[in-house]
Amino acid sequence: MLENCILLSLFAKENLGRMSEEQLNRYDRLINEPSNDWDIYYWATEAKPAPAEFEHDVLDMLREFAKNRNREQRLRQPDLEYLFEPP
Protein backbone atom coordinates (compact mmCIF):
# COMPACT_ATOMS: atom_id res chain seq x y z
CA MET A 1 0.00 0.00 0.00
CA LEU A 2 1.31 3.43 -0.92
CA GLU A 3 1.01 4.96 2.55
CA ASN A 4 3.29 2.32 4.05
CA CYS A 5 5.72 2.50 1.15
CA ILE A 6 6.19 6.21 1.69
CA LEU A 7 6.25 6.03 5.49
CA LEU A 8 8.58 3.04 5.76
CA SER A 9 10.98 4.04 2.99
CA LEU A 10 11.46 7.56 4.37
CA PHE A 11 11.82 6.16 7.89
CA ALA A 12 14.40 3.66 6.62
CA LYS A 13 16.39 6.35 4.83
CA GLU A 14 16.55 8.46 7.97
CA ASN A 15 17.11 5.72 10.55
CA LEU A 16 18.58 2.43 9.28
CA GLY A 17 22.15 3.71 9.18
CA ARG A 18 22.20 4.44 12.90
CA MET A 19 20.25 1.45 14.18
CA SER A 20 21.90 -1.39 16.09
CA GLU A 21 21.80 -4.94 14.78
CA GLU A 22 19.09 -5.77 17.31
CA GLN A 23 17.01 -2.80 16.17
CA LEU A 24 17.47 -3.79 12.55
CA ASN A 25 16.21 -7.26 13.40
CA ARG A 26 13.16 -5.81 15.18
CA TYR A 27 12.50 -3.53 12.19
CA ASP A 28 12.76 -6.49 9.82
CA ARG A 29 10.22 -8.44 11.89
CA LEU A 30 7.94 -5.41 12.10
CA ILE A 31 7.76 -4.88 8.36
CA ASN A 32 7.73 -8.54 7.33
CA GLU A 33 5.76 -10.57 9.86
CA PRO A 34 2.34 -8.93 10.04
CA SER A 35 0.17 -10.30 7.25
CA ASN A 36 -1.77 -7.08 6.80
CA ASP A 37 -0.03 -3.84 5.77
CA TRP A 38 -2.86 -1.86 7.30
CA ASP A 39 -1.91 -3.22 10.71
CA ILE A 40 1.56 -1.67 10.44
CA TYR A 41 0.04 1.64 9.34
CA TYR A 42 -2.48 1.66 12.19
CA TRP A 43 0.21 0.81 14.74
CA ALA A 44 2.57 3.50 13.40
CA THR A 45 -0.14 6.15 13.45
CA GLU A 46 -1.48 4.95 16.80
CA ALA A 47 -4.93 4.34 15.37
CA LYS A 48 -4.83 0.83 16.87
CA PRO A 49 -2.64 -0.79 19.53
CA ALA A 50 0.08 -3.15 18.40
CA PRO A 51 0.42 -6.68 19.72
CA ALA A 52 2.86 -7.00 22.60
CA GLU A 53 5.55 -8.65 20.44
CA PHE A 54 5.76 -5.51 18.28
CA GLU A 55 5.78 -3.00 21.15
CA HIS A 56 9.44 -2.01 21.19
CA ASP A 57 11.81 0.87 20.61
CA VAL A 58 11.70 0.57 16.82
CA LEU A 59 7.93 0.91 16.72
CA ASP A 60 8.28 3.88 19.07
CA MET A 61 10.75 5.43 16.61
CA LEU A 62 8.37 4.77 13.72
CA ARG A 63 5.47 6.32 15.64
CA GLU A 64 7.50 9.43 16.36
CA PHE A 65 8.54 9.63 12.71
CA ALA A 66 4.92 9.27 11.58
CA LYS A 67 3.94 12.32 13.63
CA ASN A 68 6.03 14.45 11.25
CA ARG A 69 6.54 17.20 13.80
CA ASN A 70 8.65 19.22 11.32
CA ARG A 71 5.80 19.13 8.80
CA GLU A 72 8.04 17.76 6.05
CA GLN A 73 6.46 17.18 2.69
CA ARG A 74 6.28 13.41 2.34
CA LEU A 75 4.62 12.72 -0.97
CA ARG A 76 6.90 10.12 -2.54
CA GLN A 77 9.44 7.48 -1.72
CA PRO A 78 13.08 8.56 -1.67
CA ASP A 79 15.33 7.68 -4.56
CA LEU A 80 17.42 4.63 -3.71
CA GLU A 81 20.78 6.23 -4.47
CA TYR A 82 21.25 6.85 -0.75
CA LEU A 83 21.74 3.11 -0.35
CA PHE A 84 24.90 3.28 -2.43
CA GLU A 85 26.46 6.37 -0.86
CA PRO A 86 29.50 5.77 1.34
CA PRO A 87 28.70 6.13 5.07
Side-chain angles (χ1 to χ4, degrees):
M1 99 189 201
L2 181 60
E3 291 85 355
N4 271 3
C5 288
I6 293 171
L7 177 65
L8 295 173
S9 64
L10 290 170
F11 174 82
K13 180 179 180 181
E14 186 170 308
N15 292 284
L16 291 186
R18 62 177 179 220
M19 292 169 77
S20 69
E21 184 174 345
E22 292 83 16
Q23 288 174 316
L24 291 171
N25 288 332
R26 287 191 290 274
Y27 181 70
D28 183 67
R29 282 191 61 229
L30 176 65
I31 65 171
N32 288 306
E33 285 188 14
S35 60
N36 185 342
D37 280 349
W38 280 107
D39 288 339
I40 299 169
Y41 182 79
Y42 291 143
W43 304 338
T45 60
E46 300 182 85
K48 292 184 180 180
E53 65 265 25
F54 294 110
E55 284 293 347
H56 47 60
D57 60 334
V58 175
L59 182 55
D60 291 340
M61 292 168 60
L62 181 59
R63 286 176 174 149
E64 185 60 32
F65 183 80
K67 291 176 183 174
N68 195 14
R69 295 186 192 276
N70 294 331
R71 304 288 186 233
E72 298 169 333
Q73 189 175 28
R74 298 176 176 171
L75 301 175
R76 59 184 286 276
Q77 293 176 278
D79 294 329
L80 297 179
E81 284 80 15
Y82 77 93
L83 294 172
F84 304 104
E85 295 173 359

